[in-house]
Amino acid sequence: MKYVILIHSNPQPWGHPTSDYLADHQALPGEVRARLNAEFETVMAELSANGELLGGEALGDPADARLYRWRDGEPLAADGPYSESKEHLAGFFLVDVENRERAEQVAARFSGPGETVELRPLMWPGGDDQ
Protein backbone atom coordinates (compact mmCIF):
# COMPACT_ATOMS: atom_id res chain seq x y z
CA MET A 1 0.00 0.00 0.00
CA LYS A 2 1.35 3.35 -1.00
CA TYR A 3 1.29 6.35 1.29
CA VAL A 4 2.67 9.85 1.22
CA ILE A 5 4.11 11.31 4.39
CA LEU A 6 3.67 15.08 4.21
CA ILE A 7 5.97 17.26 6.29
CA HIS A 8 4.24 20.41 7.51
CA SER A 9 6.22 23.47 8.51
CA ASN A 10 5.95 27.18 9.16
CA PRO A 11 7.24 29.33 6.29
CA GLN A 12 9.00 31.79 8.64
CA PRO A 13 11.83 31.03 8.71
CA TRP A 14 12.02 28.50 5.87
CA GLY A 15 14.72 25.89 5.66
CA HIS A 16 15.63 22.23 5.74
CA PRO A 17 15.74 20.15 7.75
CA THR A 18 12.56 21.73 9.04
CA SER A 19 13.20 20.66 12.64
CA ASP A 20 16.23 22.98 12.80
CA TYR A 21 13.83 25.93 12.39
CA LEU A 22 11.34 24.94 15.08
CA ALA A 23 11.54 26.49 18.55
CA ASP A 24 10.60 23.21 20.26
CA HIS A 25 13.48 21.41 18.53
CA GLN A 26 15.95 24.25 19.11
CA ALA A 27 15.13 24.21 22.83
CA LEU A 28 16.24 20.58 23.19
CA PRO A 29 19.71 19.77 24.56
CA GLY A 30 22.29 19.09 21.84
CA GLU A 31 22.54 15.40 22.67
CA VAL A 32 18.76 14.97 22.33
CA ARG A 33 18.76 16.75 18.93
CA ALA A 34 21.65 14.52 17.83
CA ARG A 35 19.75 11.39 18.97
CA LEU A 36 16.58 12.46 17.12
CA ASN A 37 18.59 13.17 13.95
CA ALA A 38 20.28 9.76 14.25
CA GLU A 39 16.88 8.07 14.69
CA PHE A 40 15.63 9.78 11.53
CA GLU A 41 18.67 8.54 9.59
CA THR A 42 18.01 5.04 10.98
CA VAL A 43 14.39 4.98 9.79
CA MET A 44 15.48 6.27 6.35
CA ALA A 45 18.10 3.50 6.09
CA GLU A 46 15.53 0.92 7.24
CA LEU A 47 12.98 2.07 4.65
CA SER A 48 15.61 1.97 1.90
CA ALA A 49 16.88 -1.47 2.93
CA ASN A 50 13.30 -2.84 2.98
CA GLY A 51 12.49 -1.36 -0.42
CA GLU A 52 9.70 0.65 1.21
CA LEU A 53 11.04 4.11 0.33
CA LEU A 54 9.94 5.07 -3.19
CA GLY A 55 11.16 8.65 -3.03
CA GLY A 56 10.82 12.03 -1.45
CA GLU A 57 11.80 15.62 -1.92
CA ALA A 58 12.10 18.79 0.08
CA LEU A 59 9.93 21.61 -1.22
CA GLY A 60 11.20 25.15 -1.79
CA ASP A 61 10.09 28.30 -0.05
CA PRO A 62 6.30 28.74 -0.42
CA ALA A 63 6.95 32.41 -1.25
CA ASP A 64 8.37 31.16 -4.58
CA ALA A 65 5.22 29.15 -5.39
CA ARG A 66 2.77 29.98 -8.18
CA LEU A 67 -0.89 29.32 -7.59
CA TYR A 68 -3.22 28.45 -10.49
CA ARG A 69 -6.99 28.86 -10.23
CA TRP A 70 -9.67 28.59 -12.85
CA ARG A 71 -11.46 31.90 -13.42
CA ASP A 72 -13.76 32.98 -16.26
CA GLY A 73 -12.94 29.84 -18.23
CA GLU A 74 -9.18 30.41 -18.11
CA PRO A 75 -6.37 29.43 -15.75
CA LEU A 76 -5.23 32.41 -13.70
CA ALA A 77 -1.76 32.38 -12.13
CA ALA A 78 -0.88 34.23 -8.93
CA ASP A 79 2.18 34.40 -6.73
CA GLY A 80 2.41 32.20 -3.63
CA PRO A 81 2.12 31.49 -0.85
CA TYR A 82 -0.44 28.97 -1.95
CA SER A 83 -2.74 29.26 1.06
CA GLU A 84 -3.69 31.59 3.87
CA SER A 85 -2.56 29.05 6.43
CA LYS A 86 0.45 29.56 8.69
CA GLU A 87 1.54 26.00 7.95
CA HIS A 88 2.86 24.92 4.57
CA LEU A 89 4.18 21.71 3.14
CA ALA A 90 7.94 21.45 3.47
CA GLY A 91 8.39 18.13 1.71
CA PHE A 92 7.14 14.61 1.23
CA PHE A 93 8.20 10.99 1.31
CA LEU A 94 6.54 8.31 -0.77
CA VAL A 95 6.51 4.86 0.80
CA ASP A 96 5.13 1.48 -0.23
CA VAL A 97 4.47 -0.64 2.86
CA GLU A 98 2.58 -3.83 3.63
CA ASN A 99 -0.33 -2.25 5.50
CA ARG A 100 -1.65 0.87 7.23
CA GLU A 101 -0.23 -0.22 10.58
CA ARG A 102 3.29 -0.17 9.12
CA ALA A 103 2.62 3.22 7.48
CA GLU A 104 1.51 4.62 10.84
CA GLN A 105 4.64 3.23 12.52
CA VAL A 106 6.83 4.95 9.93
CA ALA A 107 4.94 8.27 10.07
CA ALA A 108 5.20 8.34 13.86
CA ARG A 109 8.98 7.99 13.56
CA PHE A 110 9.09 10.99 11.21
CA SER A 111 7.51 13.28 13.81
CA GLY A 112 9.45 15.25 16.39
CA PRO A 113 9.08 18.11 18.88
CA GLY A 114 6.99 20.90 17.36
CA GLU A 115 6.52 19.04 14.07
CA THR A 116 3.37 18.00 12.22
CA VAL A 117 3.51 15.01 9.91
CA GLU A 118 0.54 13.93 7.80
CA LEU A 119 0.04 10.38 6.55
CA ARG A 120 -2.20 10.04 3.53
CA PRO A 121 -2.94 6.94 1.42
CA LEU A 122 -2.49 7.21 -2.33
CA MET A 123 -5.22 6.30 -4.78
CA TRP A 124 -4.60 4.71 -8.16
CA PRO A 125 -6.65 2.64 -10.57
CA GLY A 126 -6.89 -0.88 -9.24
CA GLY A 127 -5.35 0.14 -5.92
CA ASP A 128 -6.30 -1.28 -2.57
CA ASP A 129 -8.83 1.50 -2.00
CA GLN A 130 -10.67 1.04 -5.31
Side-chain angles (χ1 to χ4, degrees), residues 29-103:
E31 62 270 13
V32 174
R33 289 195 311 267
R35 179 180 53 80
L36 292 173
N37 290 338
E39 288 175 3
F40 179 75
E41 294 301 325
T42 298
V43 73
M44 292 299 290
E46 178 184 308
L47 290 168
S48 293
N50 293 344
E52 296 173 312
L53 181 63
L54 300 179
E57 295 290 341
L59 299 176
D61 189 334
D64 295 331
R66 294 285 279 172
L67 179 66
Y68 294 87
R69 289 193 170 116
W70 195 257
R71 182 170 294 161
D72 298 327
E74 298 287 332
L76 177 65
D79 291 336
Y82 55 87
S83 76
E84 299 296 323
S85 171
K86 289 183 178 180
E87 288 192 339
H88 294 264
L89 293 176
F92 67 92
F93 295 91
L94 182 61
V95 297
D96 187 3
V97 294
E98 185 170 338
N99 54 42
R100 182 170 183 95
E101 180 181 3
R102 172 65 179 152

